[in-house]
Amino acid sequence: MAADANSRRITGRVQGKDITLVGPLSKDEIRNKVWWWQAPTAETPEERQHRRHEYDHDQRDVIATLGGYYTVPGDPRSPEADELVDMVHTELSPDRQ
């Protein structure tokens, strides 16, 4: 997991899945990609529940930015999640502020 200032790329490991955020992205796009497991999908509720149980909750969900590693909160609507989305948005889209 690494962040590269030249490519405007941020990586992470969330719910056991490697994710890559390549900017520029809107705040909604960032939120959907980071909290992908909570996004509505074509899966049935039972399939989503089964997938959630497959994840090892002892692992931390993290995003790696130029500023370091940040824990991904479980609730995408929390103040901590808002701060993470704002920080990632700024890093991926510095010219769109």
Side-chain angles (χ1 to χ4, degrees):
M1 289 182 268
D4 180 353
N6 296 326
S7 67
R8 295 187 183 167
R9 173 187 313 253
I10 294 175
T11 61
R13 186 150 184 90
V14 180
Q15 294 289 304
K17 176 182 173 186
D18 291 327
I19 62 168
T20 302
L21 305 170
V22 179
L25 294 173
S26 71
K27 290 181 181 182
D28 286 336
E29 290 171 321
I30 293 167
R31 196 174 305 273
N32 289 339
K33 288 179 183 270
V34 172
W35 286 275
W36 59 269
W37 77 95
Q38 293 184 355
T41 66
E43 293 178 323
T44 66
E46 293 81 17
E47 289 170 331
R48 270 194 301 271
Q49 188 66 24
H50 177 70
R51 184 167 38 91
R52 283 188 201 142
H53 286 296
E54 292 174 355
Y55 172 64
D56 178 5
H57 293 282
D58 290 337
Q59 297 179 12
R60 289 180 40 174
D61 297 334
V62 296
I63 296 291
T65 71
L66 292 173
Y69 287 91
Y70 296 89
T71 301
V72 175
D75 181 359
R77 296 167 305 280
S78 70
E80 294 83 8
D82 289 340
E83 290 174 17
L84 181 63
V85 168
D86 288 344
M87 180 182 54
V88 168
H89 182 261
T90 299
E91 198 165 304
L92 288 176
S93 310
D95 51 336
R96 292 189 173 200
Q97 299 304 311

